[in-house]
C-alpha cells in the first residue's frame, strides 16, 4: 500500500468536523474532495475553508494550498484517492453501509478511515471485504486542536498505521497511536468522565453551565469549560456518543443524557444552531 502525495484525499461529510478535517488536509497541496449530500453543508464547508485556510497555511511549515472540491457524488469523491476519511453522524446504521460503498468505490490501495470518536473501526467493517485497510483516524477540533488518534480495527495492516503516523505531520497534525482497541480511544475516555460529571452537576441543580465553565477555566487555566466545548462539538453529537457509551458500559448514569435531550427538544444543538448551553445571538 503506497501513499502518493499527488493523489487526492477525500473527506466524507461536510459537517462541523468534516470541514475542519478538510481544512487541515488542504495545507498539503494537491486536491482535497469533500462529499456531502446536503448542498447547504457543502456551501458552508467551502466558505469555512476559504476563510480559515490562509491563517492555517501560515502556521504549518512547508505547507501549500490544495484545491478543494465539493461534491455530492461518493464515487467522484473517492476516485483516485489514497486516503478517505469518513466524518458522518455517530450511528452504525449510517457508517456500515457507507464503508461498504467505500470498499467498492475507492481504489484498492486507498486507506479507509473513520473519524468516529466512540465506535472502534472494527464495528464499521461488517460489509467490508478488505478490512486490513480500515483504521480509526480520530480528530478533535482542528485547527485549534491538531492532535489525532490512530487505532487498529483489529485487522488493520500495521503498515497503514505507520504510513499515517509518518504522513499526518505534513498536514500540521500530531498523531498518537492507541496500542489496543479502546472505546473512546485515549483522550476521550478521560474527557468523557469530565463531561459526564459536569452534566450531572447541572442536572442535579448544583450549578449552572456558566458557573461550571468559569470555575473549570479558573482552576485548570484552559481556554474553555466543558459546556462551551460541548456547544462547539454539537449537543446532538455529544448525546449520540453518550448513548453509545451507555449501550456498552455498565453504570453510565442517565441524568446527563436526560439533560442533553431536554436541550435538543428545544432545538438547542450548540453553536451550529446559535443556541446550546449558551446563546450565540442566533448566529450558528
Amino acid at each position: 500500500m503506497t501513499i502518493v502525495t499527488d493523489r487526492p484525499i477525500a473527506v466524507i461529510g461536510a459537517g462541523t468536523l468534516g470541514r475542519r478535517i478538510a481544512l487541515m488536509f488542504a495545507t498539503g497541496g494537491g486536491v482535497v474532495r469533500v462529499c456531502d449530500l446536503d448542498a447547504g453543508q457543502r456551501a458552508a464547508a467551502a466558505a469555512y475553508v476559504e476563510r480559515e485556510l490562509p491563517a492555517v497555511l501560515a502556521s504549518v511549515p512547508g505547507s501549500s494550498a490544495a484545491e478543494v472540491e465539493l461534491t455530492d457524488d461518493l464515487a467522484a469523491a473517492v476516485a483516485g484517492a489514497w486516503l478517505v476519511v469518513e466524518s458522518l453522524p455517530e450511528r452504525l446504521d449510517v457508517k456500515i453501509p457507507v464503508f461498504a460503498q467505500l470498499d467498492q468505490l475507492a481504489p484498492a490501495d486507498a486507506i479507509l478511515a473513520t473519524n468516529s470518536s466512540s465506535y472502534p473501526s472494527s464495528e464499521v467493517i461488517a460489509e467490508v471485504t478488505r478490512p486490513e485497510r480500515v483504521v480509526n483516524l480520530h480528530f478533535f477540533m482542528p485547527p485549534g486542536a491538531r492532535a489525532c488518534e490512530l487505532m487498529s480495527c483489529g485487522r488493520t495492516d500495521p503498515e497503514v498505521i505507520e504510513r499515517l503516523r509518518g504522513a499526518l505531520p505534513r498536514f500540521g497534525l500530531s498523531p498518537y497511536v492507541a496500542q489496543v482497541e479502546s472505546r473512546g480511544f485515549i483522550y476521550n475516555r478521560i474527557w468523557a468522565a469530565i463531561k459526564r460529571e459536569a452534566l450531572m452537576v447541572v442536572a442535579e441543580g448544583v450549578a449552572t453551565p456558566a458557573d461550571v465553565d468559569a470555575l473549570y477555566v479558573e482552576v485548570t487555566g484552559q481556554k474553555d469549560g466543558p459546556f462551551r466545548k460541548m456547544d462547539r462539538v454539537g449537543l446532538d453529537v455529544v448525546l449520540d456518543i453518550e448513548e453509545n457509551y451507555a449501550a456498552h458500559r455498565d453504570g453510565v448514569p442517565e441524568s446527563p443524557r436526560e439533560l442533553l435531550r431536554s436541550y435538543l427538544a428545544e432545538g438547542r444543538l450548540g453553536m451550529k444552531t446559535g443556541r446550546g448551553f449558551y446563546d450565540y445571538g442566533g448566529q450558528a
Side-chain angles (χ1 to χ4, degrees):
M1 183 178 295
T2 58
I3 290 175
V4 181
T5 55
D6 60 356
R7 286 168 56 181
I9 293 172
V11 179
I12 312 305
T16 302
L17 271 174
R19 68 191 63 165
R20 289 167 177 266
I21 294 167
L23 171 66
M24 296 310 301
F25 284 128
T27 65
V31 175
V32 176
R33 300 194 189 114
V34 183
C35 181
D36 200 297
L37 296 178
D38 188 309
Q41 289 281 61
R42 294 196 305 273
Y48 174 79
V49 173
E50 182 179 5
R51 182 178 71 247
E52 301 294 333
L53 185 56
V56 178
L57 285 168
S59 70
V60 178
S63 61
S64 61
E67 179 182 352
V68 179
E69 300 176 352
L70 285 296
T71 181
D72 62 356
D73 186 325
L74 191 61
V78 304
W82 73 265
L83 172 64
V84 181
V85 180
E86 168 270 319
S87 183
L88 295 170
E90 290 290 276
R91 291 170 43 196
L92 288 179
D93 63 328
V94 172
K95 294 179 184 293
I96 289 174
V98 166
F99 269 86
Q101 290 181 277
L102 295 176
D103 187 50
Q104 296 299 314
L105 296 172
D109 66 341
I111 297 171
L112 305 182
T114 175
N115 177 53
S116 177
S117 60
S118 56
Y119 288 109
S121 51
S122 60
E123 297 185 4
V124 306
I125 60 172
E127 299 175 17
V128 169
T129 61
R130 295 185 291 274
E132 66 275 3
R133 63 181 180 148
V134 179
V135 66
N136 273 101
L137 173 50
H138 171 235
F139 296 83
F140 292 90
M141 194 60 72
R146 299 187 184 182
C148 54
E149 295 171 312
L150 292 163
M151 187 172 73
S152 170
C153 75
R155 298 168 66 183
T156 308
D157 184 343
E159 183 69 9
V160 167
I161 290 177
E162 288 308 307
R163 287 185 180 275
L164 286 173
R165 184 154 65 173
L168 291 169
R170 172 170 162 253
F171 303 97
L173 298 163
S174 303
Y176 295 84
V177 179
Q179 301 298 313
V180 297
E181 185 175 272
S182 170
R183 188 173 302 277
F185 314 102
I186 305 166
Y187 177 83
N188 271 358
R189 288 187 60 174
I190 300 165
W191 163 241
I194 296 170
K195 171 185 64 179
R196 197 171 296 135
E197 199 66 31
L199 288 165
M200 288 179 68
V201 165
V202 171
E204 293 170 6
V206 177
T208 66
D211 281 348
V212 171
D213 278 359
L215 180 58
Y216 183 90
V217 166
E218 184 166 347
V219 171
T220 67
Q222 293 192 25
K223 180 180 177 181
D224 290 322
F227 289 95
R228 187 77 69 177
K229 291 179 180 180
M230 284 187 273
D231 268 359
R232 187 177 295 114
V233 171
L235 304 192
D236 53 337
V237 177
V238 175
L239 178 59
D240 283 346
I241 292 168
E242 280 300 295
E243 297 284 21
N244 184 33
Y245 280 129
H248 292 90
R249 291 182 179 163
D250 293 333
V252 175
E254 178 71 21
S255 62
R257 286 172 283 143
E258 290 177 346
L259 180 65
L260 289 166
R261 291 188 200 109
S262 72
Y263 276 80
L264 265 59
E266 297 178 9
R268 302 177 73 101
L269 276 64
M271 289 183 179
K272 59 187 172 185
T273 58
R275 297 164 70 238
F277 290 111
Y278 295 88
D279 192 324
Y280 300 94
Q283 299 298 313

